[in-house]
Amino acid sequence: MPSRLLPLIAVLCLSTALYAQKETPAHYQLYGGYAYLSNSLDGVTGSHKGLNGFDASMAFGAWHRLRFKADFSSYRGTNLGAPQHPYFIVGGGQYAWRIGRESLFVDGLAGVAGANKTWAANGATGQTASFASLVGGGLDTPISKHIAIRVDGGFQYSYFALSHPVSLIPYRVAGLPTNFGKLSSGIVWEF
């Protein structure tokens, strides 16, 4: 019985060694997975509650390890009795390095953010649009020729304010968060 397993083990080891020699990057990367945002939009001091959601991105053809990347993330949750439904649409550059089979990357993205109108505490209305930026990085670990597992994270900035009920002029409340941590994990399809 052990003599029959030896050829199978040899074939598996040889195929892994040949696959590790792949050097040309894929033209496109399509990613989807779970995402976590470290705080809600109205998470003032003493009331921080993270939000759960999803993250999806598309990265286009590499030029000297630099890719254009478009990213969309959306979150759901509640804090201080108010529903939280923020989403972020950002785009920018992703720079990657290959280390063995793994790929490390950093990215810098900027764009827009949106939210439901009733995200503020106590039924107050808030802005539904904001500037957003994301600076971060991550690691892709291949599990087959075209599929990899991605873990990434970063620092996300957005600037939502409350709306005054009479004049609809936005105003800031001291303590409203503008800086968020973002973690994401999921599957990358490279083609």
Side-chain angles (χ1 to χ4, degrees):
M1 182 70 164
S3 63
R4 292 181 186 170
L5 290 177
L6 187 60
L8 179 61
I9 293 171
V11 167
L12 289 174
C13 291
L14 181 61
S15 65
T16 305
L18 290 174
Y19 174 67
Q21 295 176 6
K22 177 183 138 183
E23 300 213 7
T24 58
H27 292 287
Y28 302 100
Q29 292 180 339
L30 186 60
Y31 168 73
Y34 166 80
Y36 176 79
L37 194 64
S38 66
N39 199 357
S40 58
L41 301 179
D42 64 352
V44 294
T45 305
S47 182
H48 298 283
K49 188 168 183 186
L51 301 174
N52 296 300
F54 72 90
D55 188 16
S57 68
M58 177 82 174
F60 300 94
W63 176 74
H64 298 281
R65 294 191 226 155
L66 180 65
R67 296 177 181 270
F68 174 76
K69 179 179 180 181
D71 185 272
F72 175 78
S73 56
S74 178
Y75 303 92
R76 298 273 180 183
T78 59
N79 192 38
L80 299 172
Q84 307 283 305
H85 307 297
Y87 63 89
F88 302 89
I89 303 170
V90 291
Q94 176 184 27
Y95 191 80
W97 300 270
R98 282 241 181 241
I99 300 175
R101 292 182 60 206
E102 279 73 26
S103 178
L104 289 171
F105 64 89
V106 295
D107 46 21
L109 312 169
V112 296
N116 57 313
K117 191 171 189 166
T118 58
W119 60 263
N122 301 323
T125 58
Q127 280 184 314
T128 58
S130 170
F131 169 78
S133 65
L134 173 66
V135 176
L139 173 74
D140 290 346
T141 300
I143 57 176
S144 74
K145 185 175 181 181
H146 297 287
I147 305 291
I149 295 175
R150 173 173 289 178
V151 176
D152 69 345
F155 168 76
Q156 188 158 329
Y157 173 84
S158 65
Y159 193 82
F160 285 99
L162 298 175
S163 296
H164 192 277
V166 176
S167 63
L168 298 177
I169 297 173
Y171 66 95
R172 292 292 300 164
V173 171
L176 279 181
T178 57
N179 303 319
F180 302 89
K182 176 187 173 184
L183 294 174
S184 179
S185 179
I187 302 293
V188 179
W189 177 36
E190 299 178 338
F191 57 100

